Amino acid sequence: MTNSQADVLRAALEILDERGAGGVSLRTIAQRLGVRMNTVLWHAKSKARLEELMADAIVAGASLDELPRHWRERATEIARRYRAALLAHRDGATVVAGTYAAEPATLDLAEVLAGALLDGGMSAREAAWTCWSLIYFILGLAQEEQALPDRALPGLSVGQRPALQRVFPFLAEDSFEERFEFGVAKLLAKPAGNRKRSAARG
């Protein structure tokens, strides 16, 4: 018998890990808990609300404790922990990418990431856009990594396209760790504001 929203959320995450995002429904949760769907709806309110709670629970897996002091190292470590939290659950990136959860864990991660970028000398707008760029990049790459077993990229033909022929071996690589580190480093390069000031001094 379920007594709380936490029970519903726990069951939803169990089903997610077992069956993937497509296997999670109010019905399957009710069956898992041995209750009526109305009971699940009482705690989850709606499928959309359940997905928001699931997304926040997944993001909560990214610890924000003992982060580096230097802003770039701090932002990089947050990005690594965020990616690890997404990959810790089957289809975790798909669940998080499908919501705009303004929930505690999600907001806390955004807070420390934005704070790191501001500490690096970025303007508020640049910090906001860099924060979004990092999140979108990590979500997209994690979705690709989690979906890869069902894809056939290495066998894809690019035809008579010389530029793609040159770069395709690298596009088809499964080196997600390296691609992640490369992308984060690029996004956290010297802030545009600092580049402008350096150019002005030059």
Side-chain angles (χ1 to χ4, degrees):
M1 188 71 176
T2 180
N3 297 309
S4 69
Q5 186 182 81
D7 294 324
V8 171
L9 183 56
R10 189 180 308 111
L13 292 175
E14 288 175 358
I15 295 168
L16 175 69
D17 289 336
E18 293 169 8
R19 308 183 191 180
V24 181
S25 69
L26 299 177
R27 184 177 301 280
T28 57
I29 294 170
Q31 291 172 344
R32 173 64 58 94
L33 295 171
V35 299
R36 295 180 181 274
M37 280 185 59
N38 284 346
T39 303
V40 177
L41 273 170
W42 174 262
H43 293 296
K45 307 307 179 188
S46 67
K47 179 67 182 301
R49 178 58 179 154
L50 173 66
E51 289 171 348
E52 290 176 350
L53 294 171
M54 290 174 64
D56 197 58
I58 290 169
V59 174
S63 171
L64 302 177
D65 297 330
E66 299 181 7
L67 291 166
R69 295 190 62 181
H70 186 274
W71 76 269
R72 186 179 286 109
E73 294 175 2
R74 195 186 332 150
T76 299
E77 181 61 22
I78 294 166
R80 288 173 181 150
R81 295 182 188 185
Y82 180 62
R83 173 175 178 259
L86 297 175
L87 296 178
H89 291 275
R90 180 176 174 181
D91 292 341
T94 296
V95 173
V96 174
T99 68
Y100 291 93
E103 300 299 319
T106 301
L107 293 174
D108 287 346
L109 186 137
E111 167 70 16
V112 293
L113 180 55
L117 301 176
L118 290 170
D119 287 349
M122 295 187 187
S123 67
R125 184 175 73 169
E126 187 176 10
W129 289 3
T130 302
C131 185
W132 277 125
S133 296
L134 282 164
I135 295 298
Y136 289 147
F137 166 67
I138 298 166
L139 281 171
L141 189 62
Q143 281 183 289
E144 181 184 342
E145 182 171 0
Q146 292 184 312
L148 189 62
D150 299 321
R151 300 180 60 191
L153 243 187
L156 181 68
S157 172
V158 297
Q160 299 302 310
R161 297 175 178 85
L164 280 179
Q165 287 176 353
R166 288 182 62 186
V167 304
F168 187 75
F170 302 100
L171 293 176
E173 282 183 342
D174 295 350
S175 53
F176 290 102
E177 193 79 33
E178 293 176 65
R179 288 162 61 186
F180 166 79
E181 295 291 341
F182 176 86
V184 170
K186 287 290 185 181
L187 288 167
L188 294 177
K190 195 173 184 181
N194 288 348
R195 288 198 295 269
K196 290 177 182 177
R197 287 194 291 272
S198 297
R201 286 198 297 270

